[in-house]
Amino acid sequence: MTMCAGLAEADADCRPETVDDARVHARPAPPLAAAGLALAVAACGGGGGASAGSGTDAPIAGATARKPTSDAEAARFLLQTGIAASSRELESLRSEGYEPWLNRQMASPGVSAVRWLESNSFTAIDDNRYYDMKDPGDHMAWFQLMDASGEVRIRAALALSEMFVVSLNGVDFRWKSQAMARYWDILSEDAFGNFRTLLEKITLNPAMGTWLNTLGNRAADGKGRQADENYAREVMQLFTIGLYELNNDGSPRLDSSGQPIETYGNSDVQELAKAFTGYDFDWTGTTEVPAPGGSGTVSTVDYALKPMTADPAKWRKPRTSGYHSAEAKFFLGATIPAGTGPAESLRVALDTLFNHKNVGPFVARQLIQRLVTSNPAPGYVRRVASVFDNNGKGVRGDLAAVFRAIWLDDEALAGANASSNSFGKLREPILRLAQAARTFGGSSASGKWTIRNTSDPSSRLSQSPLRSPSVFNFFRPGYVPANSNVAANAMVAPELQLVDESSAPAYVNFMQRVLEGTEWATRDLSLSFTDELALAHDSTALLDRLDLLLTAKQLSETSRSIILGALNAKSIAQTGDEKTKLRQVRTAVLLVMAAPEYLVQR
């Protein structure tokens, strides 16, 4: 609570206000009032800032040989590329160097979410009725964030999930959790593949199909029915090209009167929508089995895991013809001739979007925001967008090259940014909880990671993985808190959209219950604190460890003094009882995780 006490002084009003992305980017950013921004982020619980990076377009010299010069630099990189830092990975990163370590991590395949559900009987048809539940989707997502191997891949998949948004809240068919697991597997498997491949797999995923109405979308019938436009609109606005034409540095292109130029119009939406007609579940291999209790039958999970199909022979009720629009389609300068089948129509539609000049800067800026800093310098966006356009080998959309460019860019690695009030991003609440689990030996008492929905803003995190309240994600890329220092300095702070006078103290109270093991939503989670308990008697050593692993040594002297004062008020003897030591460790962890230098990841 004390960390947020300055709210009224920092910002007269911290209520949400959505500001159009193009207008935010079009404004020149004046020099920041660093002290005012620091107070704002401390009061509201975090936030980003305009970049303090070099802004040049020169790549890192000798990046393959570059190594962290300290544990703090190594921890900072680990927290950008993954979820948590550990002593083992600190040592590996310092020994190998940034790029060799990153390449090795990116090659790790990760753990299949679908197979994990299967191994834990979440795809069984029994009295648990998991086929009608959203809980397995929550458990799967938390397992991925808290325990699964392939942490760098998981971090990339999470960032992509906040662009290609699908939410458990809006997927409503049997085996919804399992369909969401397949959606996650697509993001994970293709995180370091090609964007065009990822775009098509996501388009045909049943969870996305029902979320944005591609599933069952039918052609116009001449009697008033029109093709559903939902996916056509969102695949342009949110997944690929955005609302306005962009320069390669992410800034909007302006017309002769200084206004942003729209990328598409309503006619483009209507015409593109025709390309996404005629798709439904692929029922091949699916069988019907008796439902628990003898009340009817239940279909096996197969159809929820397969890509949607436009082949009527594979639908539940085979037909001689499908529902794909046979009309000619005209959008974004492309033409699909009349009579073109669904597969070819889809190919042309996605190729047209993929090759649009906006995709590189549109994707680059949002991924930088999710991983490194809310307000990247134009040069940073330009460098990453250029890699999207061409990975150096003539390949467009190479996501491995894109993520590598984001994490190895000089602006991301610059040590000066670690102490800059104008750089960084608010650490997402779900990442804070996942980091705690990975840092402090988190384990599942049941073995099934039955962590629950943590979306409640008044008592939990105001966020839960794969449970976005809308297709617009938990927060908008161009969000600006009203009447704030962020707004005054023409900046954005996306994650701050989750923060208000209710959610800020709720987070602290929630984390206290998590650390004590009394929170209902995380009752299956056990934290061991093994290494920390060995330091409980030495407040300075304990804080040094937490400062390194949780903040990459970014706690200010003021915060350290406050935390040490609280810990030293109850000194612990080396021979003290375990309960007293555990209380001391939990207090230290909570105070660090409530500190502004922790909440703002730089």
Side-chain angles (χ1 to χ4, degrees):
M1 292 288 288
T2 57
M3 294 293 183
C4 293
L7 179 62
E9 298 177 41
D11 292 327
D13 189 351
C14 208
R15 291 171 297 180
E17 175 183 81
T18 301
V19 177
D20 186 274
D21 293 0
R23 289 192 287 109
V24 170
H25 298 174
R27 295 196 302 252
L32 294 175
L37 177 61
L39 178 59
V41 295
C44 288
S51 167
S54 63
T56 65
D57 290 331
I60 303 168
T64 57
R66 187 169 180 177
K67 297 181 178 182
T69 61
S70 66
D71 283 347
E73 283 189 4
R76 181 170 179 258
F77 188 74
L78 292 176
L79 296 178
Q80 287 178 342
T81 58
I83 298 170
S86 68
S87 299
R88 182 185 65 183
E89 290 304 334
L90 286 171
E91 182 179 348
S92 296
L93 176 57
R94 293 199 65 179
S95 174
E96 295 176 59
Y98 291 116
E99 189 163 2
W101 180 89
L102 183 59
N103 288 339
R104 181 168 59 81
Q105 297 295 324
M106 290 173 70
S108 176
V111 178
S112 167
V114 170
R115 287 198 294 272
W116 183 82
L117 287 178
E118 291 173 347
S119 68
N120 284 284
S121 301
F122 288 121
T123 55
I125 298 176
D126 55 26
D127 290 336
N128 290 306
R129 300 179 67 89
Y130 290 132
Y131 50 84
D132 275 337
M133 296 174 62
K134 296 180 179 179
D135 286 357
D138 292 319
H139 309 335
M140 173 275 297
W142 283 118
F143 162 73
Q144 289 288 335
L145 294 180
M146 291 181 166
D147 193 58
S149 60
E151 198 173 324
V152 171
R153 185 176 294 273
I154 291 168
R155 187 66 189 90
L158 181 64
L160 291 168
S161 77
E162 294 180 349
M163 275 188 59
F164 298 99
V165 176
V166 181
S167 175
L168 268 167
N169 296 338
V171 176
D172 192 16
F173 59 88
R174 278 190 166 171
W175 300 112
K176 56 185 75 68
S177 289
Q178 294 71 16
M180 287 295 293
R182 180 58 197 142
Y183 157 78
W184 176 266
D185 278 349
I186 291 170
L187 295 175
S188 177
E189 292 163 5
D190 291 280
F192 304 133
N194 193 279
F195 185 87
R196 173 62 178 81
T197 302
L198 175 62
L199 180 62
E200 181 164 339
K201 288 184 177 181
I202 287 294
T203 298
L204 295 178
N205 175 253
M208 177 63 81
T210 189
W211 172 241
L212 291 181
N213 304 336
T214 309
L215 187 101
N217 189 15
R218 295 171 62 177
D221 62 359
K223 300 178 182 179
R225 184 182 67 221
Q226 300 295 321
D228 190 284
E229 299 173 2
N230 206 6
Y231 189 73
R233 181 177 293 104
E234 307 308 356
V235 75
M236 289 193 288
Q237 179 182 348
L238 301 176
F239 301 171
T240 56
I241 64 177
L243 293 173
Y244 301 102
E245 293 188 15
L246 302 174
N247 296 309
N248 223 34
D249 64 1
S251 62
R253 291 185 63 226
L254 306 178
D255 62 19
S256 58
S257 61
Q259 296 301 309
I261 304 168
E262 292 184 349
T263 52
Y264 62 88
N266 193 51
S267 175
D268 295 301
V269 175
Q270 293 172 339
E271 293 292 305
L272 182 59
K274 299 174 185 177
F276 299 121
T277 54
Y279 285 91
D280 213 322
F281 290 120
D282 180 349
W283 288 91
T284 56
T286 299
T287 59
E288 296 290 317
V289 300
S295 56
T297 62
V298 176
S299 300
T300 54
V301 71
D302 308 78
Y303 73 95
L305 306 179
K306 294 182 178 181
M308 295 185 297
T309 180
D311 181 353
K314 297 180 179 179
W315 295 347
R316 189 164 200 166
K317 296 179 180 179
R319 304 175 180 89
T320 56
S321 62
Y323 292 127
H324 178 69
S325 173
E327 299 177 28
K329 307 162 184 70
F330 309 94
F331 55 92
L332 299 176
T335 299
I336 299 177
T340 303
E344 179 63 9
S345 292
L346 183 71
R347 184 194 66 78
V348 174
L350 298 185
D351 281 352
T352 300
L353 293 171
F354 173 63
N355 288 302
H356 194 286
K357 61 185 178 182
N358 260 34
V359 182
F362 183 80
V363 170
R365 187 173 186 276
Q366 289 198 60
L367 290 181
I368 292 170
Q369 285 186 306
R370 298 287 66 74
L371 299 167
V372 179
T373 184
S374 296
N375 294 268
Y380 190 5
V381 176
R382 183 187 299 115
R383 292 188 293 274
V384 177
S386 296
V387 170
F388 183 97
D389 294 342
N390 185 341
N391 67 351
K393 299 178 182 178
V395 177
R396 178 177 177 80
D398 179 354
L399 287 173
V402 168
F403 279 106
R404 197 177 289 113
I406 290 171
W407 284 320
L408 296 176
D409 192 88
D410 198 34
E411 186 164 340
L413 295 179
N417 285 337
S419 58
S420 171
N421 285 331
S422 58
F423 183 88
K425 59 185 288 293
L426 180 68
R427 200 183 305 268
E428 292 180 49
I430 56 175
L431 286 175
R432 301 174 211 165
L433 178 56
Q435 182 186 15
R438 287 185 179 266
T439 303
F440 304 118
S443 61
S444 164
S446 70
K448 295 187 176 184
W449 294 89
T450 56
I451 314 301
R452 309 290 177 172
N453 184 354
T454 56
S455 298
D456 190 336
S458 63
S459 64
R460 296 197 174 109
L461 289 177
S462 193
Q463 187 186 29
S464 199
L466 304 186
R467 278 190 177 267
S468 171
S470 78
V471 72
F472 297 104
N473 192 28
F474 303 99
F475 36 78
R476 298 299 306 274
Y479 174 75
V480 181
N483 304 319
S484 66
N485 283 287
V486 172
N489 287 284
M491 294 159 54
V492 299
E495 292 86 352
L496 209 56
Q497 193 169 352
L498 293 174
V499 180
D500 58 26
E501 294 90 336
S502 175
S503 65
Y507 157 70
V508 177
N509 293 333
F510 173 80
M511 286 307 304
Q512 181 176 8
R513 296 194 301 273
V514 170
L515 296 172
E516 291 174 346
T518 61
E519 166 55 42
W520 177 83
T522 61
R523 62 185 177 185
D524 192 41
L525 174 66
S526 299
L527 304 177
S528 66
F529 302 108
T530 301
D531 294 326
E532 291 71 33
L533 285 170
L535 301 173
H537 65 286
D538 187 338
S539 299
T540 300
L542 175 61
L543 182 56
D544 284 345
R545 175 177 172 79
L546 298 179
D547 191 7
L548 173 63
L549 298 183
L550 295 178
T551 81
K553 286 288 185 183
Q554 292 176 20
L555 284 179
S556 67
E557 286 304 314
T558 298
S559 291
R560 285 184 61 88
S561 177
I562 292 172
I563 295 170
L564 282 174
L567 296 177
N568 289 333
K570 294 184 178 181
S571 59
I572 305 296
Q574 188 168 1
T575 56
D577 66 275
E578 290 301 305
K579 183 179 293 187
T580 302
K581 289 181 179 179
L582 184 57
R583 185 164 53 248
Q584 184 81 334
V585 168
R586 288 170 172 167
T587 298
V589 172
L590 181 64
L591 290 175
V592 172
M593 294 187 73
E597 298 89 358
Y598 170 76
L599 296 173
V600 180
Q601 180 177 346
R602 297 190 181 96

